[in-house]
């Protein structure tokens, strides 16, 4: 029994005192320290004691931090990685370090960083990421860092900052963000306002300057004049036809997304049909309705034709094209979206459309066609149900020119041969 206890004690001591050959491990001021700086290392060495609280790997040749790089040292409170050659920090590399308070990644080449790992580092108080190649910071990158006091992002390649990036940092007292090539457009105006009013210390503000546009190059951000900026707004409308018009096969549905905003928003269509989801970056066709180079063969016409002026044409609209049509406008200040549900129904003496709404049809005396009494019931109080015409009128050329696009018209009918076809549009 005594020999067994001795063996266990030897194993335990060995585990506690284990240390990579290229590092020095020991206790100082009550902290378990592993010093691996200036060792010409090209990878994080294995074999650290599990109770290490401070690890220095500065001034080595580490090219990246892979997933699980620090799995052996979950009790780390300080991690120093400055002056390496790190280009990529993989997801899961830092996530296990839930007790980390200080992280230094400065003076590397980082352009690919797993921002989601920061969600696990809620105890972090110091984050140094200066002198890297960062070009983008997600809006929610710092959402869990409510204990962070000092953040250094200077000397990177940041062009803009998403509004609210620093809002979660309620304990922040020091922010260094100078010497970045900022685009002084509408997307950065919020940061100018925030920097002028915040209690956070922001040193070297003379070096927080504009790189573009060219006319503003070198302008200090805090002296930037007001810019004409507005968030996007959208209004989704449709193209009507004449009441009672007789149509032949090959009808066209025309929608129009009227977009406003400064700078000019980018328009995108999201279409959900029974066959799946279609995403379209507008425009995908020229004025003649033919596909733009790189979209489809130049001579072909897409199933959904998105024009540069915001019009969307759906030639040969049928049951397969039923669904939800959404236009999304985005610029530096945000986004706006408007959607419609489009469905076809063939009424007789009554029934339901494809969206489950009840309708009633009846013959108009002496006219040989159908009208609709005012009994189409919305599926909910928020719905605005409109019966729309499908029309060949206008075509791609008219849509490209912006003609014939207007707001909602009174309910009407589409007479197609001997059958009736109704189009219900629900806006929300």
């Amino acid at each position: 029994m005594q020999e067994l206890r001795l063996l266990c004690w030897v194993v335990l001591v060995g585990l506690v005192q284990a240390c990579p050959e290229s590092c020095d491990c020991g206790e100082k001021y009550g902290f378990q320290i592993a010093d691996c700086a200036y060792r010409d290392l090209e990878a994080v060495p294995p074999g650290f004691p599990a109770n290490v609280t401070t690890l220095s790997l500065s001034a080595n040749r580490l090219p990246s931090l892979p997933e699980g790089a620090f799995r052996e040292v979950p009790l780390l409170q300080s991690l120093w990685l400055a002056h390496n050659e790190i280009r990529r920090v993989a997801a899961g590399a830092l996530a296990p370090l839930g007790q980390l308070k200080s992280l230094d990644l400065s003076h590397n080449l980082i352009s690919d960083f797993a921002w989601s790992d920061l969600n696990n580092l809620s105890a972090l108080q110091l984050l140094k990421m200066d002198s890297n190649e960062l070009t983008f910071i997600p809006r929610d990158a710092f959402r869990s860092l409510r204990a962070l006091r000092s953040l250094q992002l200077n000397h990177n390649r940041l062009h803009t900052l998403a509004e609210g990036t620093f809002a979660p940092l309620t304990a922040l007292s020091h922010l260094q963000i100078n010497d970045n090539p900022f685009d002084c457009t509408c997307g950065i105006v919020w940061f100018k306002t925030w920097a002028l009013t915040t209690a956070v210390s922001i040193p070297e503000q003379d070096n927080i300057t504009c790189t573009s546009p060219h006319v503003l190059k070198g302008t200090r951000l805090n002296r930037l004049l007001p810019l004409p900026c507005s968030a996007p707004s959208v209004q989704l409308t449709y193209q009507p036809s004449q009441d009672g018009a007789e149509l032949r096969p090959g009808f066209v549905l025309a929608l129009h997304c009227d977009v406003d905003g400064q700078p000019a928003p980018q328009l995108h269509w999201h279409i959900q049909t029974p066959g799946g989801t279609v995403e379209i970056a507008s425009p995908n066709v020229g004025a003649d309705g033919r596909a733009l180079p790189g979209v489809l063969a130049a001579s072909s016409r897409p199933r959904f034709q998105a024009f540069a002026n915001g019009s969307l044409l759906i030639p040969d609209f049928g049951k397969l094209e039923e669904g939800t049509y959404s236009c999304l406008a985005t610029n530096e200040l945000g986004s706006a979206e408007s959607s419609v549900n489009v469905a076809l129904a063939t009424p007789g003496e009554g029934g339901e459309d494809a969206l489950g709404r009840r309708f009633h049809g009846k013959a108009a005396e002496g006219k040989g066609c159908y009208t609709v009494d005012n009994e189409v019931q919305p599926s909910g109080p928020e719905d605005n149900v409109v019966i729309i015409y499908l029309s060949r009128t206008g075509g791609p050329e008219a849509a490209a020119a912006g003609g014939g696009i207007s707001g909602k018209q009174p309910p009407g009918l589409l007479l197609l041969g001997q059958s009736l076809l109704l189009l219900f549009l629900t806006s929300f």
Side-chain angles (χ1 to χ4, degrees), residues 361-374:
K362 62 183 180 181
E365 294 183 8
K367 296 185 179 180
C369 64
Y370 281 86
T371 63
V372 174
D373 57 24
N374 191 21

Side-chain angles (χ1 to χ4, degrees), residues 305-372:
Q305 300 176 7
F307 292 86
N309 73 331
S311 292
L312 179 72
L313 293 190
I314 305 93
D316 302 318
F317 189 94
K319 297 294 286 185
L320 294 178
E321 285 70 46
E322 288 186 334
T324 302
Y325 288 71
S326 304
C327 68
L328 176 67
T330 304
N331 70 8
E332 299 173 24
L333 300 182
S335 62
E337 183 177 1
S338 184
S339 301
V340 293
N341 286 332
V342 181
L344 298 176
T346 305
E349 293 301 320
E352 292 186 352
D353 72 351
L355 298 178
R357 290 186 293 264
R358 295 289 303 175
F359 60 82
H360 296 268
K362 62 183 180 181
E365 294 183 8
K367 296 185 179 180
C369 64
Y370 281 86
T371 63
V372 174

